[in-house]
Amino acid sequence: MANRIDRDEKIDLTPLLEVLANRFRPRDDQEAYELIVGACQEAQRLYGWVPPEAAQAIADHLGVTINRVYGLLTFYADFRTEPPGKHFLWLCHGAACYVMGSSRLIELLRDRHQLVDHGVSPDGELTLHVFNGCLGVCDLAPVIQVDHHEYWGRLTPERLEAAIEALKRGDRLEDADGTAG
Ligand code: FES
């Protein structure tokens, strides 16, 4: 999800409560435990992350402790317990991208933007996930997929910096320096 949700924004629990009431009806404690992950996935689908209010609503609905919900939320790396950044960067760190310098991109994001794997930049603009597989576009290596649909290819730290600035300005990437792949 590309839209950032501010920490201070009040979460409307109505859609989650409807889904829980319609689809999550445990018959016993064991079933309630087994439904926690699915309920958290629904919350993340609805909000882009699992806000504390949603975690509490899930615990209340299933009759489990909030600690059990957070135990699973922190166990599975795909769950977000912080609001996502406005833009999502999926940085490929597979073999071809590694050889072509993806480590330097990771360093730039860490040193210049305080952005680490599964983190959000302090300005709330960027979320980063580093992917150790292959995004399937090795001819663009090193490459970052942006907001789930666009690729920045053949990146150098300088080109990445320019692309991020363009993204924050809302410019089309081609207008920055032809960074788009
Ligand atoms: S290794 Fe990065 S796209 Fe294939």
Side-chain angles (χ1 to χ4, degrees):
M1 171 177 283
N3 298 323
R4 182 165 64 100
I5 300 166
D6 288 329
R7 252 172 246 271
D8 298 338
E9 188 177 312
K10 192 162 167 30
I11 302 293
D12 178 6
L13 289 175
T14 310
L16 177 63
L17 294 176
E18 281 176 12
V19 170
L20 292 173
N22 290 333
R23 294 189 20 218
F24 291 83
R25 299 186 203 162
R27 282 166 295 190
D28 53 37
D29 287 352
Q30 182 60 33
E31 222 172 81
Y33 295 148
E34 290 168 8
L35 289 174
I36 297 172
V37 170
C40 291
Q41 286 171 333
E42 286 297 331
Q44 184 150 300
R45 183 181 64 78
L46 288 164
Y47 305 113
W49 62 301
V50 184
E53 304 93 312
Q56 187 63 59
I58 289 167
D60 293 345
H61 177 81
L62 295 177
V64 300
T65 65
I66 189 69
N67 284 350
R68 190 170 278 265
V69 175
Y70 272 105
L72 288 170
L73 283 174
T74 50
F75 180 77
Y76 292 105
D78 284 346
F79 283 125
R80 284 193 292 268
T81 54
E82 296 283 325
K86 191 171 166 190
H87 299 284
F88 182 78
L89 305 183
W90 202 22
L91 187 152
C92 185
H93 201 34
C97 286
Y98 175 78
V99 168
M100 296 300 284
S102 56
S103 298
R104 291 199 301 152
L105 307 179
I106 292 171
E107 286 167 15
L108 175 120
L109 291 169
R110 183 194 63 207
D111 297 344
R112 301 270 289 268
H113 298 274
Q114 293 90 54
L115 183 57
V116 296
D117 188 18
H118 282 81
V120 179
S121 58
D123 61 5
E125 288 283 327
L126 306 171
T127 289
L128 172 68
H129 281 200
V130 174
F131 182 51
N132 288 309
C134 170
L135 289 180
V137 285
C138 297
D139 54 323
L140 297 179
V143 63
I144 296 178
Q145 189 195 69
V146 185
D147 291 339
H148 308 286
H149 66 274
E150 193 162 46
Y151 291 93
W152 296 346
R154 303 183 192 97
L155 287 169
T156 60
E158 296 71 29
R159 287 163 67 85
L160 174 57
E161 192 61 26
I164 288 173
E165 290 309 314
L167 187 70
K168 289 183 177 178
R169 285 196 308 268
D171 290 349
R172 284 189 56 75
L173 299 178
E174 291 85 348
D175 297 340
D177 68 348
T179 309

